[in-house]
Amino acid sequence: MTDQLADIGCARRFARPDGELWVLPASSERAAKRLVDLGRAGVGGFVHAESDDASIAVLRRGAPDLEIWLSGHPGAIEWPRAVAMIASLAEAARACEQASLFPGAITNEQLVVRDDAIELRADSLVHAIVGAPFVEAAAPKWMPAEAIRPDNASNRYAIGLVAYRLVTGEHPFAGRGLRLGLDDQAVRGAPPFSSQIAATLPPGLQSLCLRMLAPDPSARPTSAAAIAIALSDLLQRSSASVSAGRADARVSAATSGRSADDTSRRVSAETSNARGIHAPRKRWLAAMVAVVPIAAGIVIAVWAVGASGSTTTTHPIVAPKSPLASARELADCASCHPRQAAEWSRSVMAHSVESPLFGSLEMLIEEQVGRDRRCPDGAGVLRASGVDPCTDPRTGIPITGSGGAGWCINCHAPGENLSAAVPAWDGHGDPRSRRPLRDVLSRASMEGISCAACHQMTGPVHPGTRYQGNPSWTSTETGAVFTQRPEDDRGVFGIGNSGYLIDPRALISAGPIVAGGAHRRLDDAARAYRHSSEFCGACHDVRLFGTDAISGEHFKRLRNAYSEWATWATDERRAGRSPASCQDCHMSLYPAVCAPSPGAIAGGGCPAGTKAERRAPGSMPSGRAAAGSSITSISTHYFSGVDVPLSRIFDPAAIDDHTVDVAGIPTGARERRDLLLASAMTLAIDAPDRRRQRRGRTSRTRRLQSGARDLGAPSRHRFARPARL
């Protein structure tokens, strides 16, 4: 044990030719036993090694992961071997499900191949057992369309991907590229096997693989046990069929020599019996033979004539599908809008709640503002107030909710306003009301700034509407209420602090039905609002409670994206130009697409073999707004900007994905950001100031300004300042 590896939790590790030796303290006997028990079930790869009074050693056997194994076994695997491998993987997953354990996301790197069996590495589970800090592996690149994060259900889907790869030698979706592959995955499911491969398989194997990858979750096997049983039945039926075939061959060979003699004896016996029949009986039999066929023919003819007069062609009756009864989450939209759903899933909008930075800041404010001996868990200043709020000890005015009830939630998880789940903050009672948002939001709200939320926003709030967002905050020292929307005085309503009006009736019960009958059509006013910068301004101007010491405003500006745009837009109109909207830049082909250019090197956000071709704000790609609709100009839903999601469930592979979609837009988040920055900014350093040089000081002026004025994009963010050299 000379080659010591890094410790994991309470386990010391040592390299061995046959794997890794994990040495646990004697007090971890239960953990060691759990590892060995899981190893017997094909999870973790552990077997018992040795123990003494001070420690317990278990061996984690070495084996290549599936990715490495597949590189040495290209093409399809013989189906009996493939089925045996898939069955062993399903049995390992079955053991985890029955023990209510999640082994971590199934990826090729988390699967090891040992002989003709596949085992789960289950690193996240193993680390948890030995007390190591939780380190979540990268989310798999291909998960079912409805999945938000990996779980046992998505692992069963991953087993289907492995099965498809082993049996056919190819990935069911990756061959058409990520963009089209996601469309296929969400709408059509995996393609059938080629006829050459299907002809070699036993009945039921192809249908099982395709069911595991069905776009409808209800059509998939409901447990790993169901998959294991189905595969076991396939192997047993195949084995029985082979055995029966061999037995039939032996019986045929044994009886072939006797068949001629038996036939001869049977004919002889029938002849001798026929000679004993009396003549009258022979005549009666002859008459019956002649009459019966005629009578049977008459009966059949009568039936046929009667039937031909009454038979009509029948067609299956398919009841029309009812329009949406509610729109809450991605699954309600993705089946008809797969392109938009796939793009949105790669955006920061989809991860606005999952962001650990957001979650930490929100909880920090809730726990620290108003915290004292009476409210040791904090006052929940930005949550709704419960029956027992924390109060200011001097005035008795509630601190809970004084900064704005749901101030963070309303913009980061607007779906909460469609279906509320977050409990009101109780300063002294039920501790469950004081949990982080990730523990109290509904699954639909955890989707962040979702399709369902944005597409049910119908206009800005204004004084008098039932929902107001967070237009003001209350001073706990004086009880004074301070407004945070000065734009209201100018007649521009709903700017800042979730100033949108959300109406679930918009898609459900108001307006005409769209083509296809899925939902209602928004009215023209709602559609115009959703295409305006004011729609974005409802959340992209952020004002916090307090007083700004410099401006004197009774709120603190944390973000001024809309206000800055509005100032620039005013300047553009004064100059006789039409300003680009937020959507024109962040939901379009702006600033460029990556067009094919053989031999071009990667750079500026475009991958190798392509070059950037500039596009003006408002340039839209062509495509289908919904499955089955006609080709038209559509908005993109990448919401490209300078941010990259920090969410743990955001696939790192989607950050640096060196491919482009059908419109030429880079699919990688970093590539889209680089393309935007490369087109939007220029950095210039002026020559040294000679007069300052003569005075013994050397300096240059550094200028940073927008490089997009010629495209009509916002360019007011420019400044110059001296840079000492």
Side-chain angles (χ1 to χ4, degrees), residues 373-463:
R373 288 178 296 176
R374 296 172 300 108
C375 285
D377 294 331
V381 67
L382 299 179
R383 297 273 187 98
S385 178
V387 297
D388 191 10
C390 298
T391 59
D392 188 306
R394 295 166 296 177
T395 63
I397 297 174
I399 301 174
T400 305
S402 63
W407 187 86
C408 299
I409 299 169
N410 289 333
C411 276
H412 280 261
E416 177 70 7
N417 290 312
L418 291 171
S419 180
V422 177
W425 188 280
D426 193 340
H428 308 92
D430 190 349
R432 291 177 295 181
S433 69
R434 302 189 291 275
R435 291 178 176 176
L437 288 178
R438 67 173 184 269
D439 297 333
V440 293
L441 283 170
S442 67
R443 185 183 72 174
S445 294
M446 285 298 292
E447 291 184 354
I449 305 167
S450 64
C451 316
C454 285
H455 286 267
Q456 293 181 86
M457 295 178 184
T458 58
V461 298
H462 54 269

Side-chain angles (χ1 to χ4, degrees), residues 212-230:
M212 286 192 282
L213 299 174
D216 181 2
S218 64
R220 303 177 201 143
T222 56
S223 66
I227 298 173
I229 292 171

Side-chain angles (χ1 to χ4, degrees), residues 9 70 72 109 136 156 174 181 186 303 313 324 331 397 420 452 552 619 633 657 666 702:
L70 288 174
E109 293 76 13
E136 185 170 351
R156 293 193 291 274
W303 172 83
T313 303
L324 280 175
I397 297 174
S619 301
S633 294
D657 187 347
R702 182 174 60 194

Side-chain angles (χ1 to χ4, degrees), residues 135-162:
V135 178
E136 185 170 351
K141 186 173 183 178
W142 296 94
M143 287 201 303
E146 76 280 357
I148 298 176
R149 58 180 62 84
D151 56 15
N152 282 325
S154 66
N155 275 355
R156 293 193 291 274
Y157 189 89
I159 294 174
L161 294 174
V162 173

Side-chain angles (χ1 to χ4, degrees), residues 31 78 83 105 117 184 204 248 318 410 444 531 548 676 725:
E78 303 87 347
V83 170
D184 290 344
D248 290 345
V318 180
N410 289 333
H531 287 82
D548 191 304
L676 183 66
L725 296 181

Side-chain angles (χ1 to χ4, degrees), residues 4-272:
Q4 185 166 358
L5 306 173
D7 295 349
I8 295 180
C10 66
R12 292 179 296 133
R13 298 187 304 147
F14 302 88
R16 286 191 7 172
D18 53 349
E20 296 178 3
L21 191 68
W22 289 41
V23 180
L24 285 69
S27 59
S28 300
E29 180 181 1
R30 292 180 61 185
K33 183 178 184 303
R34 189 70 178 275
L35 292 175
V36 173
D37 289 343
L38 288 171
R40 293 194 190 99
V43 181
F46 287 91
V47 296
H48 181 73
E50 55 192 38
S51 61
D52 54 34
D53 293 339
S55 62
I56 303 171
V58 290
L59 176 66
R60 192 175 203 186
R61 296 177 296 166
D65 64 39
L66 183 60
E67 190 69 27
I68 295 174
W69 189 88
L70 288 174
S71 66
H73 297 77
I77 308 301
E78 303 87 347
W79 76 260
R81 186 182 188 188
V83 170
M85 296 174 73
I86 305 161
S88 63
L89 174 57
E91 288 290 354
R94 175 185 192 173
C96 291
E97 290 184 8
Q98 291 180 341
S100 298
L101 297 173
F102 178 56
I106 289 181
T107 63
N108 286 356
E109 293 76 13
Q110 281 293 305
L111 300 175
V112 296
V113 181
R114 202 182 312 280
D115 299 326
D116 282 347
I118 299 178
E119 298 180 359
L120 291 167
R121 278 191 61 86
D123 280 342
S124 59
L125 176 59
V126 169
H127 286 206
I129 292 174
V130 297
F134 176 73
V135 178
E136 185 170 351
K141 186 173 183 178
W142 296 94
M143 287 201 303
E146 76 280 357
I148 298 176
R149 58 180 62 84
D151 56 15
N152 282 325
S154 66
N155 275 355
R156 293 193 291 274
Y157 189 89
I159 294 174
L161 294 174
V162 173
Y164 196 103
R165 167 61 183 85
L166 292 179
V167 174
T168 68
E170 57 188 17
H171 192 285
F173 307 117
R176 279 165 45 85
L178 183 62
R179 181 72 191 85
L180 296 177
L182 288 171
D183 289 352
D184 290 344
Q185 182 188 26
V187 179
R188 290 174 286 275
F193 299 169
S194 68
S195 57
Q196 294 88 344
I197 290 178
T200 66
L201 304 179
L205 178 54
Q206 177 175 201
S207 62
L208 175 61
C209 292
L210 298 182
R211 277 195 297 116
M212 286 192 282
L213 299 174
D216 181 2
S218 64
R220 303 177 201 143
T222 56
S223 66
I227 298 173
I229 292 171
L231 292 169
S232 177
D233 289 345
L234 276 173
L235 289 173
Q236 290 178 3
R237 287 201 304 269
S238 174
S239 177
S241 175
V242 171
S243 299
R246 291 172 179 169
D248 290 345
R250 289 194 298 269
V251 171
S252 177
T255 58
S256 60
R258 301 194 301 267
S259 59
D261 294 340
D262 292 343
T263 302
S264 177
R265 286 194 295 270
R266 187 169 61 252
V267 172
S268 177
E270 290 171 356
T271 303
S272 62

